[in-house]
Amino acid sequence: MSLDTDFERLTLALEDPFTIARGTQETAENVIVRVSDGDHEGIGAAAPSEHYGETSRTVEAVLPDLLAVVEEVGDPHALGRIERRMREAVRDNPAARTAVSIALHDLAAKRLGVPLYRYWGLDPRNTPKTSFTIGLDTIERMREKTESAVEAGHTVLKVKLGTERDREIIEAIRAEAPDVRLRVDANEAWTPHEALSNIDVLADFDVEFVEQPVPAENSRGLEYVHERSSLPIAADESCVTLSDISHMAERADIANIKLMKCGGLREAKRMVHAARAHGLEVMLGCMIESNAAIAAACQLAPLLDYADLDGSLLLADDPYEGVAIRGGDIDLAGVEGSGTGARSDDRP
Ligand code: MG
């Protein structure tokens, strides 16, 4: 079989500038990857993160080598072999490898005429709601964003923290949304001692869990916080690939797995199962991503305890449609057609 491949950079405008403890972004660059067998086309996307050493340019630089592997193997169902050979060809660059992995999974499921979750044998009715992220801003703006999210039907919010005014932020948001499930993400901004005193305050506002309280390089600090914390701890920046999972058992309660960190859908599934084997709960997160990638992440939803798959919801305009998300409900059972559910009006 011969497979055709191509890729294209997309600059995506955000609905609002997105600020976390580390900085602000106003646009997101994704790289769309397509793999075609002549009858069906698989679509995927990379959402590179500079925090993990990638940009759209590094993705574009390595994609020719990755797609050469795909064309050489020539069988979109040889997913394990292709992911392994891509990892051998390009060791880092997980978002670039993920884009290809997604496109291949989309193509493989389309060739069989089934949605990807069905290809994996997963139950589409059993999906957690996704959280919707409230980025850092003035307290008034964060309150307004909370109000609109609640109006849009969201019942699970993830609030970015890591500022001098964390207490005021959570107080304002809790007052605006007394009934939502609230999670917070400090994106590494606190010291272990700050984390513990902040967590005590957050517990009073009925926060569900706290994500990445301290820097990833401070693994003993994370362990220290985890041992003493009154709230569950989720690890994100500390939990990147499969080899991190065994360490997380001592340092966190929840593993936040992301396709763009780990390098592919098969690797993400391995991380889910490894996390469970180590007694961790599992969350699947995302970067700011087009539905060309989010639709694939949604296919894993039946395996999760928590979903944080709002990447496309933060965009002003996504050229791709994907799995419908309404009020945080991931409508996997409603996916029409086959593959991941990602599609574009321009390219049916
Ligand atoms: Mg995070």
Side-chain angles (χ1 to χ4, degrees):
M1 184 189 322
S2 98
L3 296 175
D4 282 328
T5 64
D6 73 272
F7 61 89
E8 161 193 22
R9 188 193 323 183
L10 274 187
T11 301
L12 301 161
L14 306 194
E15 186 71 44
D16 279 304
F18 187 70
T19 302
I20 66 167
R22 276 192 292 273
T24 298
Q25 65 182 110
E26 305 209 349
T27 57
E29 297 222 313
N30 282 193
V31 181
I32 302 293
V33 168
R34 298 186 192 91
V35 180
S36 167
D37 67 358
D39 295 321
H40 302 281
E41 183 178 68
I43 298 160
S49 165
E50 281 191 58
H51 184 73
Y52 299 102
E54 289 185 280
T55 64
S56 54
R57 287 181 197 286
T58 65
V59 170
E60 289 175 311
V62 299
L63 275 174
D65 287 347
L66 297 176
L67 294 173
V69 170
V70 172
E71 289 175 20
E72 225 175 274
V73 173
D75 177 0
H77 298 283
L79 295 160
R81 193 176 357 145
I82 295 176
E83 283 198 13
R84 180 172 46 76
R85 286 195 44 190
M86 289 201 295
R87 207 160 49 238
E88 287 163 4
V90 177
R91 245 193 87 235
D92 297 320
N93 306 86
R97 285 187 279 118
T98 292
V100 181
S101 166
I102 293 173
L104 283 167
H105 279 80
D106 187 34
L107 176 58
K110 279 173 174 162
R111 285 167 51 88
L112 298 176
V114 292
L116 184 54
Y117 70 78
R118 186 169 286 283
Y119 182 59
W120 286 332
L122 301 178
D123 181 352
R125 295 165 306 176
N126 189 17
T127 62
K129 279 172 184 284
T130 177
S131 52
F132 180 79
T133 305
I134 307 294
L136 286 170
D137 209 319
T138 64
I139 291 177
E140 181 49 20
R141 246 335 256 145
M142 289 179 81
R143 195 197 58 72
E144 285 168 12
K145 287 181 195 173
T146 301
E147 189 181 14
S148 344
V150 170
E151 275 170 19
H154 289 283
T155 56
V156 188
L157 299 182
K158 180 160 116 173
V159 182
K160 293 294 191 179
L161 291 182
T163 70
E164 297 294 308
R165 52 203 167 87
D166 286 348
R167 188 200 163 91
E168 291 83 346
I169 291 172
I170 211 70
E171 212 172 332
I173 289 179
R174 185 43 101 194
E176 180 62 44
D179 301 324
V180 301
R181 284 161 69 191
L182 274 188
R183 303 157 184 179
V184 308
D185 186 356
N187 286 111
E188 313 184 282
W190 300 328
T191 66
H193 287 112
E194 284 168 352
L196 287 173
S197 72
N198 290 342
I199 287 169
D200 281 341
V201 171
L202 294 168
D204 289 338
F205 291 97
D206 198 17
V207 164
E208 191 175 22
F209 60 77
V210 174
E211 190 173 320
Q212 199 66 41
V214 301
E217 60 265 26
N218 189 359
S219 52
R220 303 215 18 204
L222 187 60
E223 193 170 331
Y224 178 90
V225 171
H226 174 241
E227 274 171 13
R228 290 162 182 78
S229 172
S230 50
L231 293 177
I233 300 294
D236 178 0
E237 287 87 340
S238 294
C239 182
V240 180
T241 62
L242 182 61
S243 61
D244 295 318
I245 291 284
S246 62
H247 306 294
M248 286 310 116
E250 302 298 313
R251 298 174 195 157
D253 303 284
I254 302 162
N256 184 356
I257 298 164
K258 293 180 182 169
L259 298 178
M260 300 301 157
K261 295 190 292 189
C262 75
L265 284 162
R266 290 173 63 88
E267 183 76 351
K269 285 178 79 185
R270 278 191 287 270
M271 288 182 77
V272 169
H273 299 309
R276 295 228 178 274
H278 284 87
L280 292 156
E281 289 194 296
V282 176
M283 166 156 69
L284 191 68
C286 63
M287 306 299 177
I288 297 185
E289 296 171 23
S290 161
N291 278 319
I294 293 288
C298 287
Q299 303 290 321
L300 289 166
L303 296 176
L304 310 176
D305 299 297
Y306 308 100
D308 182 23
L309 297 175
D310 62 350
S312 171
L313 302 178
L314 301 170
L315 298 173
D317 186 28
D318 187 343
Y320 288 86
E321 284 182 68
V323 177
I325 297 179
R326 290 181 206 92
D329 286 318
I330 300 171
D331 187 14
L332 205 49
V335 171
E336 283 173 28
S338 52
T340 66
R343 66 206 175 276
S344 156
D345 286 343
D346 307 337
R347 297 178 66 100

